[in-house]
Amino acid sequence: MSRSTIDLTLLRTAAARLGEELTPEAERAFRRYAELLLEWNQRINLTGLDDWSEIQRRLLVESLGLLPWVDRACAQSQRCRVIDVGTGAGIPGIPLKLLRPKISLTLLDATAKKVHFLELVVRELALLDTTPIHDRAEALAHNPEHRGQYDLATARAVAHLATALELTLPFLRVDGLAVFPKGPAIELELRDSRRALEILGGEIEAVEPMPLTDLVGATGTIVVVRVVRPAPSQYPRRVGLPAKRPLR
Ligand code: SAH
């Protein structure tokens, strides 16, 4: 798809609704990101969506809905550290970075080819302080350079909430926020995550409807968890266990 056919109207509308303006630099970067996504999605499976309007709607606009929480988590940090666990093609991390260029962003994914794609995106978009890492959250969360170091963690479409909590909370400092974009029906998942919250030292901060649903064309929920105690050192458990045997 050529550059001229990548229409950013929806994204601009979404930004305006959030009181943001897409700068010319941000627009250029979103265009280039879109081109790379569409091109690479034909070679490696980056996302199930292969149509620009769907990608814009479901991946980019939805990601912008998390911005208010980024601002909240970053309010007290000089260098705000954000980790996107299971980022895939960079969702929601890259769109957030394009609107908040000052965040220090770690893009974590267990699939090598996706991380190669992210390295290309970082180069092509000339993103500063953005680090793709090929690893499993279960391993990286025990690395002292990452454990307890982040102000905000997110994970979209990665796992059940109980699993996602185990894969994200250990990265956060006390008072840091984990933000999960979820589907519309979240009650059962929340109930099944109570034990994980208790064990890992998290408390529900907010459960709210995803903003911009009319633009996204789907309803969703944002679940926000605040860390109140550091996660015990044995978590996350070894690779695979958080998904296979969630803390319930
Ligand atoms: N967040 C993206 C991708 C979702 S697909 C989006 O919303 O489009 C889920 C991704 O999580 C996959 O790319 C997979 O490789 C990654 N993943 C799953 N478990 C993981 C783990 N334990 N550690 C790191 N990445 C993981």
Side-chain angles (χ1 to χ4, degrees):
M1 183 181 273
S2 78
R3 196 168 287 234
S4 56
T5 53
I6 295 175
D7 178 2
L8 295 179
T9 309
L10 198 67
L11 206 56
R12 266 186 226 125
T13 309
R17 284 261 201 102
L18 296 166
E20 305 280 333
E21 203 186 332
L22 284 189
T23 61
E25 298 81 62
E27 288 211 2
R28 257 198 305 279
F30 270 115
R31 280 222 162 79
R32 187 71 191 120
Y33 181 46
E35 286 175 341
L36 293 169
L37 254 178
L38 291 165
E39 185 190 331
W40 282 74
N41 209 26
Q42 294 178 351
R43 286 188 249 165
I44 58 175
N45 187 22
L46 287 170
T47 154
L49 307 174
D50 57 5
D51 165 79
W52 167 240
S53 71
E54 281 300 292
I55 289 178
Q56 181 172 218
R57 197 180 288 284
R58 297 308 308 269
L59 302 185
L60 307 185
V61 171
E62 195 186 290
S63 296
L64 295 200
L66 304 180
L67 265 184
W69 288 106
V70 174
D71 292 343
R72 190 107 37 120
C74 290
Q76 284 146 29
S77 296
Q78 290 293 336
R79 176 171 178 255
C80 185
R81 292 191 74 183
V82 174
I83 185 165
D84 186 2
V85 174
T87 185
I91 302 295
I94 300 274
L96 293 174
K97 175 76 182 174
L98 295 183
L99 275 114
R100 291 290 180 274
K102 285 195 180 138
I103 62 173
S104 171
L105 178 64
T106 299
L107 298 165
L108 175 65
D109 204 278
T111 306
K113 61 186 185 178
K114 295 186 180 176
V115 177
H116 290 148
F117 170 77
L118 293 168
E119 285 164 352
L120 176 74
V121 169
V122 168
R123 267 200 316 276
E124 290 276 321
L125 273 54
L127 298 178
L128 302 175
D129 207 356
T130 304
T131 315
I133 298 181
H134 175 218
D135 203 346
R136 305 275 312 198
E138 293 94 324
L140 194 74
H142 290 285
N143 175 332
E145 283 174 29
H146 295 275
R147 190 178 187 86
Q149 299 297 315
Y150 289 86
D151 300 285
L152 181 116
T154 184
R156 180 187 178 275
V158 174
H160 182 284
L161 187 59
T163 301
L165 288 167
E166 188 171 349
L167 298 179
T168 52
L169 294 192
F171 285 107
L172 293 168
R173 63 172 169 83
V174 168
D175 251 6
L177 297 180
V179 180
F180 305 102
K182 286 282 180 184
I186 187 76
E187 286 310 315
L188 195 61
E189 220 174 315
L190 279 173
R191 213 177 58 211
D192 284 344
S193 300
R194 275 194 215 139
R195 192 160 162 260
L197 284 170
E198 180 60 35
I199 291 173
L200 297 164
E203 276 178 8
I204 297 286
E205 173 88 2
V207 177
E208 57 176 39
M210 181 78 76
L212 312 170
T213 47
D214 55 323
L215 300 178
V216 173
T219 51
T221 315
I222 302 183
V223 177
V224 185
V225 173
R226 181 180 294 274
V227 171
V228 292
R229 283 173 267 116
S233 59
Q234 68 266 39
Y235 298 102
R237 292 163 292 163
R238 65 181 163 76
V239 169
L241 272 190
K244 203 164 147 203
R245 274 194 267 138
L247 298 168
R248 288 193 201 168

